[in-house]
Coordinates of all heavy atoms in Angstrom, one line a residue:
M1 N 143.4 119.3 122.5 CA 143.5 118.0 121.9 C 142.4 117.1 122.5 O 141.8 116.3 121.7 CB 144.9 117.3 122.4 CG 145.3 116.1 121.6 SD 145.7 116.5 120.0 CE 146.4 115.0 119.4
L2 N 141.9 117.3 123.7 CA 140.8 116.5 124.2 C 139.5 116.9 123.5 O 138.6 116.1 123.4 CB 140.7 116.7 125.8 CG 141.8 116.0 126.5 CD1 141.6 116.4 128.0 CD2 141.8 114.6 126.3
G3 N 139.4 118.2 123.1 CA 138.2 118.7 122.5 C 138.0 118.0 121.1 O 136.8 117.9 120.6
F4 N 139.0 117.5 120.5 CA 138.9 116.8 119.3 C 138.3 115.5 119.3 O 137.5 115.1 118.5 CB 140.3 116.7 118.6 CG 140.3 116.0 117.3 CD1 139.8 116.7 116.2 CD2 140.7 114.7 117.2 CE1 139.8 116.0 115.0 CE2 140.8 114.0 116.0 CZ 140.3 114.8 114.9
F5 N 138.5 114.8 120.5 CA 137.9 113.5 120.6 C 136.6 113.4 121.2 O 135.8 112.5 121.1 CB 138.9 112.5 121.5 CG 140.2 112.3 120.7 CD1 141.4 112.9 121.1 CD2 140.2 111.4 119.7 CE1 142.6 112.7 120.5 CE2 141.4 111.2 119.0 CZ 142.6 111.8 119.4
K6 N 136.2 114.5 122.0 CA 134.9 114.5 122.6 C 134.1 115.6 121.9 O 133.8 116.7 122.4 CB 135.1 114.9 124.1 CG 135.6 113.7 125.0 CD 135.5 114.1 126.4 CE 135.8 112.9 127.2 NZ 135.6 113.1 128.6
Q7 N 133.6 115.2 120.8 CA 132.7 116.1 120.0 C 131.3 116.0 120.5 O 130.8 114.9 120.7 CB 132.8 115.7 118.5 CG 134.1 116.0 117.9 CD 134.3 117.4 117.5 OE1 133.4 118.1 117.3 NE2 135.6 117.9 117.6
P8 N 130.6 117.1 120.8 CA 129.2 117.0 121.2 C 128.3 116.5 120.0 O 128.5 116.9 118.9 CB 128.8 118.4 121.6 CG 129.8 119.2 120.8 CD 131.0 118.5 120.7
K9 N 127.4 115.6 120.3 CA 126.5 115.1 119.3 C 125.4 116.1 119.0 O 124.8 116.7 120.0 CB 125.9 113.7 119.7 CG 127.0 112.7 119.8 CD 126.4 111.3 119.9 CE 127.5 110.3 120.0 NZ 127.0 109.0 120.0
P10 N 125.0 116.3 117.8 CA 123.9 117.2 117.5 C 122.6 116.7 118.0 O 122.3 115.5 118.2 CB 123.9 117.3 116.0 CG 124.6 116.0 115.5 CD 125.5 115.7 116.6
R11 N 121.7 117.6 118.4 CA 120.4 117.3 118.9 C 119.6 116.8 117.8 O 119.7 117.3 116.7 CB 119.7 118.5 119.5 CG 120.3 118.9 120.8 CD 119.3 120.0 121.4 NE 120.1 121.0 122.2 CZ 119.5 122.1 122.5 NH1 118.3 122.4 122.3 NH2 120.2 122.9 123.3
R12 N 118.7 115.9 118.1 CA 117.7 115.4 117.1 C 116.6 116.4 116.9 O 116.1 117.1 117.9 CB 117.1 114.1 117.5 CG 118.1 112.9 117.5 CD 117.5 111.6 117.8 NE 118.2 110.6 117.2 CZ 117.8 109.9 116.1 NH1 116.6 110.1 115.6 NH2 118.6 109.0 115.6
F13 N 116.1 116.5 115.7 CA 115.0 117.4 115.4 C 113.7 116.8 115.9 O 113.4 115.7 115.6 CB 114.9 117.7 113.9 CG 113.8 118.6 113.6 CD1 113.9 120.0 113.8 CD2 112.6 118.1 113.0 CE1 112.9 120.8 113.5 CE2 111.6 119.0 112.7 CZ 111.8 120.3 112.9
S14 N 113.0 117.5 116.7 CA 111.7 117.0 117.2 C 110.7 118.1 117.1 O 110.9 119.2 117.8 CB 111.9 116.6 118.7 OG 110.6 116.2 119.2
H15 N 109.7 117.9 116.3 CA 108.6 119.0 116.2 C 107.3 118.3 116.4 O 106.7 117.8 115.4 CB 108.7 119.6 114.8 CG 107.7 120.7 114.6 ND1 107.8 121.9 115.1 CD2 106.5 120.7 113.9 CE1 106.8 122.6 114.8 NE2 106.0 121.9 114.0
P16 N 106.8 118.3 117.6 CA 105.5 117.7 117.9 C 104.4 118.6 117.3 O 104.4 119.8 117.3 CB 105.4 117.6 119.4 CG 106.3 118.7 119.8 CD 107.4 118.8 118.9
Y17 N 103.4 117.9 116.7 CA 102.3 118.7 116.1 C 101.4 119.2 117.3 O 101.1 118.5 118.2 CB 101.4 117.7 115.2 CG 102.1 117.3 114.0 CD1 102.5 116.0 113.8 CD2 102.4 118.2 113.0 CE1 103.2 115.6 112.7 CE2 103.1 117.8 111.9 CZ 103.5 116.5 111.7 OH 104.1 116.1 110.6
Q18 N 101.0 120.4 117.1 CA 100.2 121.1 118.1 C 98.7 120.7 118.0 O 98.0 120.6 118.9 CB 100.4 122.6 118.1 CG 101.8 122.9 118.6 CD 102.0 124.4 118.5 OE1 101.1 125.2 118.2 NE2 103.2 124.9 118.9
Y19 N 98.3 120.8 116.7 CA 96.8 120.6 116.5 C 96.6 119.3 115.6 O 96.6 119.3 114.4 CB 96.3 121.8 115.7 CG 96.6 123.1 116.4 CD1 97.6 123.9 115.9 CD2 95.9 123.4 117.6 CE1 97.8 125.1 116.6 CE2 96.1 124.6 118.2 CZ 97.1 125.4 117.8 OH 97.4 126.6 118.4
V20 N 96.5 118.2 116.3 CA 96.2 116.9 115.6 C 94.9 116.4 116.1 O 94.6 116.3 117.3 CB 97.3 115.9 116.0 CG1 97.1 114.6 115.4 CG2 98.7 116.4 115.5
N21 N 94.1 116.0 115.1 CA 92.8 115.5 115.4 C 93.0 113.9 115.2 O 92.8 113.4 114.1 CB 91.7 116.0 114.5 CG 90.3 115.6 115.0 OD1 90.2 114.7 115.8 ND2 89.3 116.3 114.4
E22 N 93.3 113.2 116.2 CA 93.6 111.8 116.1 C 92.3 111.0 115.6 O 92.4 110.1 114.9 CB 94.1 111.2 117.4 CG 95.4 111.8 117.8 CD 95.8 111.3 119.2 OE1 95.1 110.4 119.7 OE2 96.9 111.8 119.7
R23 N 91.2 111.4 116.1 CA 89.9 110.8 115.7 C 89.7 110.9 114.2 O 89.4 109.9 113.5 CB 88.7 111.3 116.5 CG 87.4 110.7 116.1 CD 86.3 111.3 117.0 NE 85.1 110.7 116.7 CZ 84.2 111.2 115.9 NH1 84.5 112.3 115.2 NH2 83.0 110.6 115.7
K24 N 89.9 112.0 113.6 CA 89.7 112.3 112.2 C 90.7 111.4 111.4 O 90.4 110.9 110.4 CB 89.9 113.8 111.9 CG 89.7 114.1 110.5 CD 89.8 115.7 110.4 CE 89.5 116.1 109.0 NZ 89.7 117.5 108.8
E25 N 92.0 111.4 111.9 CA 93.0 110.6 111.2 C 92.7 109.1 111.2 O 92.9 108.4 110.2 CB 94.4 110.8 111.8 CG 94.9 112.2 111.5 CD 96.3 112.4 112.1 OE1 96.9 111.4 112.7 OE2 96.8 113.5 112.0
R26 N 92.2 108.6 112.4 CA 91.8 107.2 112.5 C 90.7 106.9 111.5 O 90.6 105.8 110.8 CB 91.4 106.8 113.9 CG 92.7 106.4 114.7 CD 92.2 106.0 116.1 NE 92.1 107.2 116.9 CZ 91.2 107.4 117.9 NH1 90.3 106.4 118.1 NH2 91.1 108.5 118.5
I27 N 89.7 107.7 111.5 CA 88.5 107.5 110.6 C 89.0 107.5 109.1 O 88.6 106.7 108.3 CB 87.5 108.7 110.8 CG1 86.8 108.4 112.1 CG2 86.4 108.6 109.7 CD1 85.9 109.5 112.5
K28 N 89.9 108.4 108.7 CA 90.4 108.5 107.4 C 91.1 107.2 107.1 O 91.0 106.6 105.9 CB 91.3 109.7 107.2 CG 91.6 110.0 105.7 CD 92.6 111.2 105.6 CE 91.8 112.4 105.9 NZ 92.6 113.6 105.6
E29 N 91.9 106.7 108.0 CA 92.7 105.5 107.8 C 91.8 104.3 107.6 O 92.0 103.5 106.7 CB 93.6 105.3 109.0 CG 94.6 104.1 108.8 CD 95.5 104.0 110.0 OE1 96.1 105.0 110.4 OE2 95.6 102.9 110.5
I30 N 90.7 104.2 108.4 CA 89.7 103.1 108.3 C 89.0 103.2 107.0 O 88.8 102.1 106.3 CB 88.8 103.2 109.5 CG1 89.5 102.8 110.8 CG2 87.6 102.3 109.3 CD1 88.6 103.1 112.1
E31 N 88.7 104.4 106.5 CA 88.0 104.5 105.2 C 88.9 104.1 104.1 O 88.5 103.4 103.2 CB 87.6 106.0 105.0 CG 86.4 106.4 105.8 CD 86.1 107.9 105.6 OE1 86.8 108.6 104.9 OE2 85.0 108.3 106.2
M32 N 90.2 104.4 104.1 CA 91.1 104.1 103.1 C 91.3 102.6 103.1 O 91.3 101.9 102.0 CB 92.5 104.7 103.3 CG 92.5 106.2 103.1 SD 92.2 106.7 101.4 CE 93.8 106.3 100.8
R33 N 91.4 101.9 104.2 CA 91.5 100.4 104.3 C 90.3 99.8 103.7 O 90.4 98.8 103.0 CB 91.8 100.0 105.7 CG 93.3 100.0 106.0 CD 93.6 99.3 107.3 NE 93.3 100.3 108.4 CZ 92.9 100.0 109.6 NH1 92.8 98.7 110.0 NH2 92.7 100.9 110.5
A34 N 89.1 100.3 104.1 CA 87.9 99.7 103.6 C 87.7 99.9 102.1 O 87.3 98.9 101.4 CB 86.7 100.4 104.3
K35 N 88.1 101.0 101.6 CA 88.0 101.2 100.1 C 89.0 100.3 99.4 O 88.7 99.8 98.3 CB 88.3 102.7 99.8 CG 87.2 103.6 100.1 CD 87.5 105.0 99.7 CE 86.4 106.0 100.1 NZ 86.7 107.4 99.7
E36 N 90.2 100.1 100.0 CA 91.2 99.2 99.4 C 90.7 97.8 99.4 O 90.9 97.0 98.4 CB 92.5 99.4 100.1 CG 93.6 98.6 99.4 CD 94.9 98.8 100.2 OE1 94.9 99.5 101.2 OE2 96.0 98.3 99.7
E37 N 90.1 97.3 100.5 CA 89.6 96.0 100.6 C 88.5 95.8 99.6 O 88.3 94.7 99.0 CB 89.2 95.7 102.0 CG 90.3 95.5 103.0 CD 89.8 95.3 104.4 OE1 88.5 95.3 104.6 OE2 90.6 95.2 105.3
L38 N 87.6 96.7 99.4 CA 86.5 96.6 98.5 C 86.9 96.7 97.1 O 86.1 96.4 96.1 CB 85.4 97.6 98.8 CG 84.7 97.4 100.2 CD1 83.7 98.5 100.5 CD2 83.9 96.1 100.2
G39 N 88.1 97.2 96.8 CA 88.6 97.3 95.4 C 88.1 98.7 94.8 O 88.2 98.8 93.6
L40 N 87.7 99.6 95.6 CA 87.4 100.9 95.1 C 88.6 101.8 94.8 O 88.5 102.7 94.0 CB 86.4 101.6 96.1 CG 85.1 100.9 96.4 CD1 84.3 101.7 97.4 CD2 84.3 100.8 95.1
L41 N 89.7 101.5 95.5 CA 90.9 102.2 95.3 C 91.9 101.3 94.7 O 92.1 100.1 95.2 CB 91.5 102.8 96.6 CG 90.9 104.1 97.1 CD1 91.6 104.4 98.4 CD2 91.1 105.2 96.1
D42 N 92.6 101.7 93.7 CA 93.8 101.0 93.2 C 95.0 101.4 94.0 O 95.0 102.4 94.7 CB 94.1 101.3 91.8 CG 92.9 100.9 90.9 OD1 92.2 99.9 91.2 OD2 92.8 101.5 89.8
K43 N 96.0 100.5 94.0 CA 97.3 100.8 94.7 C 97.9 102.1 94.1 O 98.5 102.9 94.8 CB 98.2 99.7 94.5 CG 97.8 98.4 95.2 CD 98.3 98.5 96.7 CE 97.9 97.1 97.3 NZ 98.2 97.1 98.7
E44 N 97.7 102.4 92.8 CA 98.2 103.6 92.2 C 97.6 104.8 92.7 O 98.1 105.9 92.6 CB 98.1 103.5 90.7 CG 98.8 102.3 90.1 CD 98.4 102.1 88.6 OE1 97.6 102.8 88.1 OE2 99.0 101.2 88.0
Q45 N 96.4 104.8 93.2 CA 95.6 105.9 93.7 C 95.9 106.3 95.1 O 95.5 107.3 95.6 CB 94.1 105.8 93.5 CG 93.7 105.7 92.0 CD 92.2 105.5 91.9 OE1 91.5 105.1 92.9 NE2 91.7 105.6 90.7
L46 N 96.6 105.4 95.8 CA 96.9 105.7 97.2 C 97.8 106.9 97.3 O 98.7 107.1 96.5 CB 97.5 104.5 97.9 CG 96.6 103.3 98.0 CD1 97.3 102.1 98.6 CD2 95.4 103.6 98.9
P47 N 97.7 107.7 98.3 CA 98.5 108.9 98.5 C 100.0 108.5 98.6 O 100.3 107.6 99.4 CB 98.0 109.5 99.8 CG 96.8 108.9 100.1 CD 96.7 107.6 99.4
G48 N 100.8 109.1 97.8 CA 102.3 108.9 97.9 C 102.7 107.7 97.0 O 103.9 107.5 96.9
S49 N 101.8 107.0 96.5 CA 102.3 105.9 95.6 C 102.9 106.3 94.3 O 103.8 105.6 93.8 CB 101.1 104.9 95.4 OG 100.1 105.5 94.6
T50 N 102.4 107.4 93.8 CA 103.0 107.9 92.5 C 104.2 108.8 92.7 O 105.0 109.1 91.8 CB 102.0 108.7 91.7 OG1 101.5 109.8 92.5 CG2 100.8 107.9 91.4
I51 N 104.5 109.2 93.9 CA 105.6 110.1 94.2 C 106.9 109.3 94.3 O 107.9 109.8 93.8 CB 105.3 110.9 95.5 CG1 104.1 111.8 95.3 CG2 106.6 111.7 95.9 CD1 103.7 112.6 96.5
K52 N 106.9 108.1 94.8 CA 108.1 107.4 95.1 C 108.9 107.2 93.8 O 108.5 106.5 92.9 CB 107.7 106.1 95.8 CG 109.0 105.3 96.2 CD 108.6 104.0 97.0 CE 109.8 103.3 97.5 NZ 109.4 102.1 98.1
G53 N 110.1 107.7 93.8 CA 111.0 107.5 92.7 C 110.8 108.4 91.5 O 111.6 108.5 90.6
S54 N 109.7 109.2 91.5 CA 109.5 110.1 90.3 C 110.4 111.2 90.3 O 110.8 111.7 89.2 CB 108.0 110.6 90.4 OG 107.8 111.4 91.5
F55 N 110.9 111.7 91.4 CA 111.9 112.8 91.4 C 113.2 112.3 90.8 O 113.8 113.1 90.1 CB 112.1 113.4 92.8 CG 110.8 114.1 93.3 CD1 110.1 113.5 94.4 CD2 110.3 115.2 92.7 CE1 109.0 114.1 94.8 CE2 109.2 115.9 93.2 CZ 108.5 115.3 94.2
L56 N 113.6 111.2 91.2 CA 114.9 110.7 90.6 C 114.8 110.4 89.2 O 115.8 110.6 88.5 CB 115.3 109.4 91.4 CG 115.8 109.6 92.8 CD1 116.1 108.2 93.4 CD2 117.0 110.4 92.9
Q57 N 113.7 109.9 88.7 CA 113.6 109.6 87.3 C 113.5 111.0 86.5 O 113.9 111.0 85.3 CB 112.3 108.8 87.0 CG 112.5 107.4 87.6 CD 111.2 106.7 87.5 OE1 110.1 107.2 87.2 NE2 111.2 105.4 87.9
A58 N 112.9 112.0 87.1 CA 112.7 113.2 86.3 C 114.0 114.0 86.2 O 114.2 114.7 85.2 CB 111.6 114.1 87.1
A59 N 114.8 113.9 87.2 CA 116.0 114.7 87.2 C 117.1 113.9 86.4 O 117.5 112.8 86.8 CB 116.6 115.0 88.6
S60 N 117.5 114.5 85.2 CA 118.4 113.7 84.4 C 119.8 113.5 85.0 O 120.5 112.5 84.8 CB 118.6 114.4 83.1 OG 119.2 115.7 83.2
H61 N 120.3 114.5 85.8 CA 121.6 114.4 86.3 C 121.7 113.3 87.4 O 122.7 112.6 87.6 CB 122.1 115.7 86.9 CG 121.3 116.2 88.1 ND1 120.1 116.8 88.0 CD2 121.6 116.1 89.4 CE1 119.7 117.2 89.1 NE2 120.5 116.8 90.1
T62 N 120.6 113.0 88.2 CA 120.6 112.0 89.1 C 120.5 110.6 88.5 O 121.1 109.7 88.9 CB 119.5 112.2 90.2 OG1 118.3 112.2 89.5 CG2 119.7 113.4 91.0
S63 N 119.7 110.5 87.4 CA 119.6 109.2 86.8 C 120.9 108.8 86.1 O 121.3 107.6 86.1 CB 118.5 109.2 85.7 OG 118.8 110.2 84.7
Q64 N 121.7 109.8 85.6 CA 123.0 109.5 85.0 C 124.0 109.0 86.1 O 124.7 108.1 85.9 CB 123.6 110.7 84.4 CG 122.9 111.1 83.1 CD 123.3 112.4 82.5 OE1 124.2 113.1 83.1 NE2 122.8 112.8 81.4
H65 N 123.9 109.7 87.3 CA 124.8 109.3 88.4 C 124.5 107.9 88.9 O 125.3 107.1 89.1 CB 124.7 110.3 89.5 CG 125.5 110.0 90.8 ND1 126.9 110.1 90.7 CD2 125.2 109.6 91.9 CE1 127.3 109.8 91.9 NE2 126.3 109.5 92.7
I66 N 123.2 107.6 89.0 CA 122.7 106.3 89.4 C 123.2 105.2 88.5 O 123.7 104.2 88.8 CB 121.2 106.2 89.7 CG1 120.9 107.1 90.9 CG2 120.7 104.8 89.9 CD1 119.4 107.4 91.1
S67 N 123.0 105.5 87.2 CA 123.4 104.5 86.2 C 124.9 104.2 86.1 O 125.4 103.1 86.0 CB 122.9 104.9 84.8 OG 123.6 106.1 84.4
K68 N 125.7 105.3 86.4 CA 127.2 105.1 86.4 C 127.5 104.3 87.7 O 128.4 103.4 87.6 CB 127.9 106.5 86.5 CG 128.0 107.2 85.2 CD 128.8 108.4 85.4 CE 128.8 109.2 84.0 NZ 129.6 110.5 84.2
R69 N 126.9 104.5 88.8 CA 127.1 103.8 90.0 C 126.8 102.3 89.8 O 127.4 101.4 90.3 CB 126.4 104.4 91.2 CG 126.8 103.8 92.5 CD 126.0 104.3 93.7 NE 125.9 105.7 93.7 CZ 124.9 106.3 94.3 NH1 123.9 105.7 94.9 NH2 124.8 107.7 94.3
Q70 N 125.7 102.0 89.1 CA 125.2 100.7 89.0 C 126.2 99.9 88.0 O 126.3 98.7 88.2 CB 123.8 100.6 88.5 CG 122.8 101.1 89.5 CD 121.4 101.2 88.9 OE1 121.2 101.2 87.7 NE2 120.4 101.3 89.8
T71 N 126.7 100.5 87.0 CA 127.6 99.8 86.1 C 129.0 99.6 86.7 O 129.7 98.7 86.2 CB 127.7 100.6 84.8 OG1 128.2 101.9 85.0 CG2 126.3 100.7 84.1
G72 N 129.4 100.4 87.6 CA 130.7 100.2 88.3 C 131.8 100.8 87.5 O 132.9 100.3 87.7
T73 N 131.6 101.8 86.7 CA 132.7 102.4 85.9 C 133.7 103.0 86.8 O 134.9 102.9 86.5 CB 132.1 103.4 84.9 OG1 131.4 104.3 85.5 CG2 131.3 102.6 83.9
W74 N 133.3 103.6 87.8 CA 134.2 104.3 88.7 C 135.2 103.3 89.3 O 136.3 103.5 89.4 CB 133.5 105.1 89.8 CG 134.4 105.9 90.7 CD1 134.9 107.0 90.5 CD2 134.9 105.4 92.0 NE1 135.8 107.4 91.5 CE2 135.7 106.4 92.4 CE3 134.7 104.3 92.7 CZ2 136.4 106.3 93.6 CZ3 135.4 104.2 93.9 CH2 136.2 105.2 94.4
Q75 N 134.6 102.2 89.8 CA 135.4 101.2 90.4 C 136.4 100.6 89.4 O 137.5 100.2 89.8 CB 134.5 100.1 91.0 CG 133.7 100.6 92.2 CD 132.6 99.7 92.5 OE1 132.2 98.8 91.7 NE2 132.0 99.9 93.7
T76 N 136.0 100.4 88.2 CA 136.9 99.8 87.1 C 138.0 100.8 86.9 O 139.1 100.4 86.8 CB 136.0 99.6 85.8 OG1 134.9 98.8 86.1 CG2 136.9 99.0 84.8
H77 N 137.7 102.1 86.8 CA 138.8 103.1 86.5 C 139.7 103.1 87.7 O 140.9 103.3 87.5 CB 138.2 104.5 86.3 CG 137.4 104.6 85.0 ND1 137.9 104.2 83.8 CD2 136.2 105.0 84.8 CE1 137.0 104.4 82.8 NE2 135.9 104.9 83.4
A78 N 139.2 103.1 88.9 CA 140.1 103.1 90.1 C 141.0 101.9 90.1 O 142.2 102.0 90.4 CB 139.3 103.2 91.4
G79 N 140.5 100.7 89.8 CA 141.3 99.5 89.8 C 142.3 99.6 88.7 O 143.5 99.1 88.9
L80 N 142.0 100.1 87.5 CA 143.0 100.2 86.5 C 144.1 101.2 86.9 O 145.3 101.0 86.5 CB 142.3 100.7 85.2 CG 141.4 99.6 84.5 CD1 140.7 100.2 83.3 CD2 142.3 98.4 84.0
L81 N 143.7 102.3 87.5 CA 144.7 103.3 88.0 C 145.7 102.7 89.0 O 146.9 102.9 88.9 CB 144.0 104.5 88.5 CG 144.8 105.6 89.0 CD1 145.5 106.2 87.8 CD2 144.0 106.7 89.7
V82 N 145.2 101.9 89.9 CA 146.0 101.2 90.9 C 146.9 100.2 90.2 O 148.1 100.2 90.5 CB 145.2 100.6 92.0 CG1 146.0 99.7 92.9 CG2 144.4 101.6 92.8
L83 N 146.4 99.5 89.2 CA 147.3 98.5 88.5 C 148.4 99.2 87.7 O 149.5 98.8 87.7 CB 146.3 97.7 87.6 CG 147.0 96.6 86.8 CD1 147.6 95.5 87.7 CD2 146.0 96.0 85.8
L84 N 148.0 100.4 87.1 CA 149.0 101.1 86.3 C 150.1 101.7 87.2 O 151.3 101.6 86.9 CB 148.3 102.3 85.6 CG 149.2 103.2 84.8 CD1 149.8 102.4 83.6 CD2 148.4 104.4 84.3
I85 N 149.7 102.1 88.4 CA 150.8 102.6 89.4 C 151.7 101.6 89.8 O 152.9 101.7 89.9 CB 150.0 103.4 90.6 CG1 149.4 104.6 90.1 CG2 151.0 103.6 91.7 CD1 148.5 105.3 91.1
I86 N 151.1 100.4 90.1 CA 151.9 99.2 90.5 C 152.9 98.8 89.4 O 154.1 98.6 89.7 CB 151.1 98.1 90.9 CG1 150.3 98.4 92.2 CG2 151.8 96.7 91.1 CD1 149.3 97.4 92.7
I87 N 152.4 98.8 88.2 CA 153.3 98.4 87.1 C 154.4 99.4 86.9 O 155.6 99.1 86.7 CB 152.5 98.3 85.7 CG1 151.6 97.0 85.9 CG2 153.4 98.2 84.5 CD1 150.6 96.9 84.7
L88 N 154.1 100.7 87.0 CA 155.1 101.8 86.9 C 156.2 101.7 88.0 O 157.4 101.9 87.8 CB 154.5 103.1 86.9 CG 153.7 103.5 85.6 CD1 153.0 104.9 85.8 CD2 154.6 103.5 84.4
I89 N 155.7 101.3 89.2 CA 156.7 101.2 90.3 C 157.6 100.0 90.1 O 158.8 100.1 90.3 CB 155.9 101.0 91.7 CG1 155.3 102.3 92.0 CG2 156.8 100.5 92.8 CD1 154.3 102.3 93.2
V90 N 157.0 98.8 89.6 CA 157.8 97.7 89.3 C 158.8 98.0 88.2 O 160.0 97.6 88.3 CB 156.9 96.5 88.9 CG1 157.7 95.3 88.4 CG2 156.1 96.1 90.1
I91 N 158.4 98.7 87.1 CA 159.3 99.0 86.1 C 160.4 100.0 86.5 O 161.6 99.8 86.2 CB 158.5 99.7 84.9 CG1 157.7 98.6 84.2 CG2 159.5 100.3 83.9 CD1 156.8 99.2 83.1
G92 N 160.1 100.9 87.4 CA 161.1 101.8 88.0 C 162.1 101.0 88.8 O 163.3 101.3 88.8
V93 N 161.6 100.1 89.6 CA 162.6 99.3 90.5 C 163.5 98.5 89.6 O 164.7 98.4 89.9 CB 161.8 98.5 91.5 CG1 162.7 97.5 92.2 CG2 161.1 99.3 92.5
V94 N 162.9 97.9 88.6 CA 163.8 97.1 87.7 C 164.8 97.9 86.9 O 166.0 97.5 86.8 CB 162.9 96.3 86.7 CG1 163.6 95.6 85.6 CG2 162.0 95.2 87.4
L95 N 164.5 99.1 86.5 CA 165.4 99.9 85.7 C 166.5 100.5 86.7 O 167.6 100.7 86.2 CB 164.6 101.0 85.0 CG 163.7 100.6 83.9 CD1 163.0 101.8 83.3 CD2 164.6 100.0 82.8
I96 N 166.1 100.7 87.9 CA 167.1 101.3 88.8 C 168.2 100.2 89.2 O 169.4 100.5 89.3 CB 166.4 101.8 90.1 CG1 165.7 103.1 89.8 CG2 167.5 102.1 91.2 CD1 164.9 103.6 90.9
N97 N 167.8 98.9 89.3 CA 168.7 97.9 89.7 C 169.3 97.4 88.5 O 170.2 97.0 88.0 CB 168.0 96.7 90.4 CG 167.5 97.2 91.7 OD1 168.0 98.0 92.4 ND2 166.4 96.5 92.2

C-alpha cells in the first residue's frame, strides 16, 4: 500500500553535446542578427520559421481534431447527455411516486 503513494519520479533526459564549437555558434548568431538588421534576411527565411505549425496543417486528422476542439462540439454533446440523464431520472422518480 505504501508503494502506491511513494512512486519514484522518472529521471530527466540530459544529453550534453560532446563536440560543440561555441565560437562558431556565436559567430553564426552574430551574422544572422547583422543580416536581419540590414534587411538582407526576411523573417520567413530564418531557420525554423517555416516549420512552425506546418506539420499540424499538413496532417488532415490533426486539423480535424483541432477544429472540433475549438468549436466545442464535444462539450456540447456531453452537456446534452448530462441534461438527458437528469430528465430521465426526474421522470423516473415522478412515475414511481
Side-chain angles (χ1 to χ4, degrees):
M1 196 73 171
L2 291 175
F4 180 72
F5 293 107
K6 287 191 173 184
Q7 295 282 332
K9 294 191 178 186
R11 288 191 213 167
R12 292 183 154 252
F13 180 77
S14 176
H15 182 74
Y17 294 111
Q18 293 180 0
Y19 306 105
V20 177
N21 190 350
E22 295 176 7
R23 182 176 179 268
K24 185 177 179 180
E25 288 182 5
R26 275 186 274 144
I27 290 173
K28 190 182 288 188
E29 186 178 311
I30 291 170
E31 286 177 355
M32 292 292 284
R33 274 190 278 153
K35 287 180 182 179
E36 188 179 1
E37 288 175 2
L38 293 174
L40 298 177
L41 278 181
D42 293 336
K43 293 276 185 182
E44 297 169 357
Q45 293 178 349
L46 293 176
S49 63
T50 58
I51 296 176
K52 186 176 183 181
S54 64
F55 293 111
L56 287 177
Q57 293 171 356
S60 62
H61 66 280
T62 57
S63 62
Q64 291 171 357
H65 180 68
I66 290 171
S67 65
K68 282 183 183 178
R69 188 185 311 156
Q70 289 173 348
T71 58
T73 56
W74 182 83
Q75 294 165 343
T76 305
H77 292 308
L80 289 174
L81 183 64
V82 169
L83 183 65
L84 180 66
I85 292 172
I86 291 173
I87 290 173
L88 289 175
I89 290 173
V90 170
I91 290 173
V93 170
V94 170
L95 290 176
I96 291 175
N97 291 333

